[in-house]
Structures are given as C-alpha cells and as structure tokens.
C-alpha cells in the first residue's frame, strides 16, 4: 500500500522563519524519500520567475500522527538550478562546523519554551473576556484549573515526540500562564537541532487541532510577564572532564557577545532586560547557579568540578542550527584539539568519560 511522507522545511520569512510542510504519497516499495521541490516564491525563498527550490531529505522519522508506515521527512532547502544550499539554509553551515569540531564531542540539551495563544492573538492563559490573570507565581510547574491551561496539548505532543523517536527529555509549565517548555537532547549539534525542528513542527501541528497557536515570540506579552527562551546547555568532552574547561568555555563565549546576541533570535533586547530571570542583552556574565547570568553553571557542576554550562540567552524563536554552530565555533576554537579517538582509546586516561559521553548522546 502507498504511504504518506510529510516533507518539512524552514521557510524564508523575516524576521523569524517559519515551518512549512507538504505531503508526498510514496509507493509501497519506496524505502528512501526522494528529493522534491516547492514554489519558493510563496515562501519568501525565490522570485516568481525563478521560483523552484529543492527539498533534500536529511532526517526521517515515523509520523506519530498518521501512524502506520507514514513518515516525517525533514529537508534542507537547496537551489534547484545549482544544488547548492539556499541562503536560508542554515543547517548546511552547521554540518560543516560539526564536522570540523567532531573530535571535541560537543553535545547539547535544548530547553524550548513557547506560549500558547488564541487565534485572535491573546494569550491562551489570560481571561477570555480580556483583562489580566493574577500575577506570576503559581503557574510554574503548577497543577490544577486556574493555574495551568493546555495540558492536553502537552500530553499529546510529548507522546508524539516519543513515538517519533525524538530525543525529548521532559516538559514543564512555565512562569507565565499558558507558557510551557520541553527539552531535547542530549545530542550533538545536528541531531539536537533536527529533533528540535521536528518537535516544533509536531507542536504546531497538534495545537492546530485545538485552535491554539504556538508562539515562539521572545516576549509575547509586554509588561511583568516572562519572555520565552531556548536555553542551550552544552558540553565538550573536555568540559565533562574538567571544571577549568567549563570556565574556559564560558570565557570564550563572553568574547563573542555581539555576534551571539545578534544571532540568538529576533526581539532579544525585549526579552533580555535584566529582569524575569535574564541578564541584560548587552552585558556578558557567567556564574554558578545564577539565573540572572548570561551563562549559568549549574550548582552540581561546580560541586562535581566538571560537566556543562547553560547559555540562557537564545530566544524561543532562535534557529538551533545557528546557535549550536556559534557555540561550537566559540568553545571548540578555544580548546586544544583532542587527540584522535583511536590512539586515545588505547590510553587509560580520559577514556572512560569519552565513552560515557558517546553512549549518553546515543541513548534514548
Ligand atoms: P533548567 O530548567 O533547570 O535550566 P532543564 O532540566 O530544563 O534545566 O534542562 C537541562 C538540560 O541540560 C537538558 O536538556 C539536558 O540534556 C542538558 N544537559 C545535562 N547534562 C548535559 C551535558 N553534560 N551536556 C550538555 N547538556 C546537558
Ligand atoms: Mn528548563
Ligand atoms: Mn524554562
Ligand atoms: Mn534552563
């Protein structure tokens, strides 16, 4: 029997790209989804006279919504004429950085926050007739009517991610009513980013059935309400072995303040104000257990003298290929290139943690 493949890609919308998808019916005997194309003039990726863009499948997983043999197909956008990556294709550059710094074994855990909105643009967690809910306080990790809304969407989304084989790690209700989070990882840059994009698509798709709009806006509600971020936790093999490497990574990141802030998502100045558990966007800081720092070193990392750090600055609407690539560049360029894995495996020092880290990133 023929089956359905949902081809998913990132469009060219400004200032924040959106996800698009369309369905291809594949014959029963087709095992690998073929290249495909679309009208780039309708997605801000081409002009009408040269409208064809190519879709190159890069990651496939089971389609948890349609079930059966159906699949989801994540695609890179390429120029139809040349086969080169399209200018909006940030994944291709991430592939190159991931290859360049492979020996550093950098892995990520990404915390995706988002806000549920009504179709009319009002927050789903705010009273339907207008006005404001009680101030922030009872909503974070809350339970019960009046404290959380939209849980049925979270339940369905989490199970869908698991069924699709995505590396979802957990979920929680956030500080602003109607704001939630899920985490993806731990995995290397491409895998974490691919899984995050697929999880975002599933979220939009599932919420569609409830007439709920998923907003990744950095500051969906002005005033005394938390913004939505995409905290990016990261570690290299060296950081997982030594606290000095963790601190060195934080310092290396601090040197790229402007570059990072410019590329961490639209509207970052509105979110990173120094209030609502953020550091001001134009000042770099790092600290142990400090949720008011740009980069936080979790307390258990300081205790264990090794582990990872959390860049708290990326927005909910960030491009994970860009963020993970920038962190690869900043952190790995500043670390000694680890010895090639083969000779290192023969030595006894350092072998254990390298192996563990590898296992961790493949597990789940
Ligand atoms: P919090 O809300 O306290 O900031 P979460 O529990 O939401 O933290 O997320 C922690 C994230 O840190 C997870 O995505 C997890 O994968 C990630 N993480 C844990 N250990 C490492 C590590 N060694 N390297 C990279 N990421 C890590
Ligand atoms: Mn979290
Ligand atoms: Mn959070
Ligand atoms: Mn966090």
């Amino acid at each position: 029997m023929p089956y359905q493949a949902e081809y998913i890609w990132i469009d060219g919308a400004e200032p924040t790209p959106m996800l698009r998808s369309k369905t291809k019916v594949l014959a029963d005997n087709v095992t690998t989804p073929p290249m495909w194309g679309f009208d780039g003039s309708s997605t801000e990726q081409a002009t009408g006279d040269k409208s064809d863009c190519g879709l190159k499948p890069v990651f496939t997983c089971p389609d948890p919504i349609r079930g059966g043999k159906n699949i989801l197909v994540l695609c890179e956008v390429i120029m139809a004429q040349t086969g080169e990556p399209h200018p909006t294709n940030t994944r291709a550059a991430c592939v190159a950085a991931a290859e360049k710094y492979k020996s550093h074994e950098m892995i990520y855990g990404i915390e995706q926050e988002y806000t549920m909105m009504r179709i009319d643009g009002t927050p789903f967690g705010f009273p339907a007739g207008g006005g404001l809910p009680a101030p922030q306080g009872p909503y974070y990790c809350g339970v019960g009517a009046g404290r959380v809304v939209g849980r049925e969407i979270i339940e369905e989304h989490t199970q869908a991610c698991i069924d699709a084989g995505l590396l979802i790690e957990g979920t929680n209700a956030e500080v602003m009513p109607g704001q939630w989070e899920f985490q993806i990882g731990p995995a290397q840059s491409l895998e974490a980013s691919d899984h995050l994009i697929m999880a975002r698509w599933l979220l939009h798709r599932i919420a569609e059935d409830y007439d709920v709009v998923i907003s990744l806006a950095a500051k969906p509600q002005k005033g005394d309400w938390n913004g939505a971020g995409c905290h990016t936790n990261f570690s290299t093999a060296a950081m997982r072995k030594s606290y000095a490497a963790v601190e060195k990574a934080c310092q290396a990141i601090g040197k790229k303040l402007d570059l990072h802030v410019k590329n961490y998502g639209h509207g970052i100045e509105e979110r990173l104000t120094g209030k609502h558990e953020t550091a001001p966007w134009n000042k770099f800081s790092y600290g142990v257990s400090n949720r008011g720092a740009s980069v936080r070193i979790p307390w258990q990392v300081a205790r264990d003298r090794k582990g990872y750090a959390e860049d708290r600055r990326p927005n909910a609407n960030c491009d994970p290929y860009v963020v993970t690539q920038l962190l690869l560049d900043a952190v790995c360029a500043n670390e000694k290139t680890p010895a090639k894995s083969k000779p290192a495996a023969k030595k006894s020092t350092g072998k254990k943690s390298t192996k563990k880290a590898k296992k961790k990133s493949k597990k789940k």
Side-chain angles (χ1 to χ4, degrees), residues 104-107 233-250 253 295-298 301 304-310 327 331-332 335 353:
H104 294 254
E105 298 178 30
M106 192 146 174
I107 57 169
N233 303 267
F234 61 93
S235 64
T236 58
M239 292 167 68
R240 293 188 292 273
K241 264 181 246 163
S242 110
Y243 192 67
V246 174
E247 290 204 293
K248 217 173 136 199
C250 295
I253 291 170
V295 175
R296 175 178 66 107
I297 299 174
V301 173
D304 297 346
R305 310 306 292 166
K306 62 180 178 184
Y308 67 101
E310 173 193 44
L327 289 171
V331 174
C332 298
E335 272 185 359
S353 56

Side-chain angles (χ1 to χ4, degrees), residues 8-9 54-58 74-78 85 89 91-92 95:
I8 297 166
W9 73 97
L55 289 174
K56 178 176 123 189
V58 290
L74 180 66
C75 299
E76 274 188 25
V77 176
I78 57 164
N89 176 353
R91 188 182 185 277
V95 172

Side-chain angles (χ1 to χ4, degrees), residues 316-331:
N317 59 10
C318 71
D319 177 335
Y321 300 112
V322 173
V323 172
T324 57
Q325 189 212 321
L326 286 169
L327 289 171
L328 267 170
D329 286 340
V331 174

Side-chain angles (χ1 to χ4, degrees), residues 111 113 140 172 174 181 231:
E111 305 168 48
E113 294 178 345
Y140 170 75
N172 60 268
E174 269 303 338
E181 167 181 318
H231 299 168

Side-chain angles (χ1 to χ4, degrees), residues 115 166 182 185 201 217 242 246 282 333:
T115 312
L166 302 179
F182 64 87
W201 186 87
S242 110
V246 174
N282 55 357

Side-chain angles (χ1 to χ4, degrees), residues 91-227:
R91 188 182 185 277
C94 188
V95 172
E99 182 56 36
K100 180 172 174 191
Y101 292 120
K102 205 159 94 186
S103 61
H104 294 254
E105 298 178 30
M106 192 146 174
I107 57 169
Y108 302 82
I110 305 178
E111 305 168 48
Q112 175 71 64
E113 294 178 345
Y114 58 92
T115 312
M116 296 179 178
M117 313 291 278
R118 295 190 188 86
I119 302 269
D120 68 9
T122 58
F124 190 46
F126 284 26
L132 298 173
Q136 293 184 160
Y139 311 117
Y140 170 75
C141 296
V143 60
R147 289 181 286 275
V148 294
V149 292
R151 194 187 291 277
E152 61 276 33
I153 296 176
I154 276 74
E155 292 290 328
E156 211 177 308
H157 176 250
T158 307
Q159 193 56 52
C161 288
I162 293 169
D163 294 345
L166 302 179
L167 291 165
I168 190 163
E169 303 179 271
T171 67
N172 60 268
E174 269 303 338
V175 175
M176 174 182 154
Q179 207 171 66
W180 290 84
E181 167 181 318
F182 64 87
Q183 305 98 28
I184 294 281
Q188 51 96 352
S189 55
L190 283 176
E191 191 180 19
S193 301
D194 288 348
H195 285 214
L196 179 61
I197 299 294
M198 290 304 228
R200 281 182 183 175
W201 186 87
L202 281 169
L203 185 58
H204 289 298
R205 171 63 193 83
I206 288 164
E208 179 187 307
D209 290 346
Y210 294 86
D211 272 345
V212 167
V213 178
I214 300 300
S215 169
L216 299 187
K219 187 81 182 181
Q221 185 66 28
K222 303 242 177 311
D224 219 1
W225 305 98
N226 272 32

Side-chain angles (χ1 to χ4, degrees), residues 267-287:
I268 200 159
E269 301 89 341
E270 282 173 66
R271 177 178 147 256
L272 301 186
T273 56
K275 282 165 129 188
H276 306 114
E277 301 177 44
T278 69
W281 64 271
N282 55 357
K283 275 204 203 102
F284 182 82
S285 58
Y286 72 92

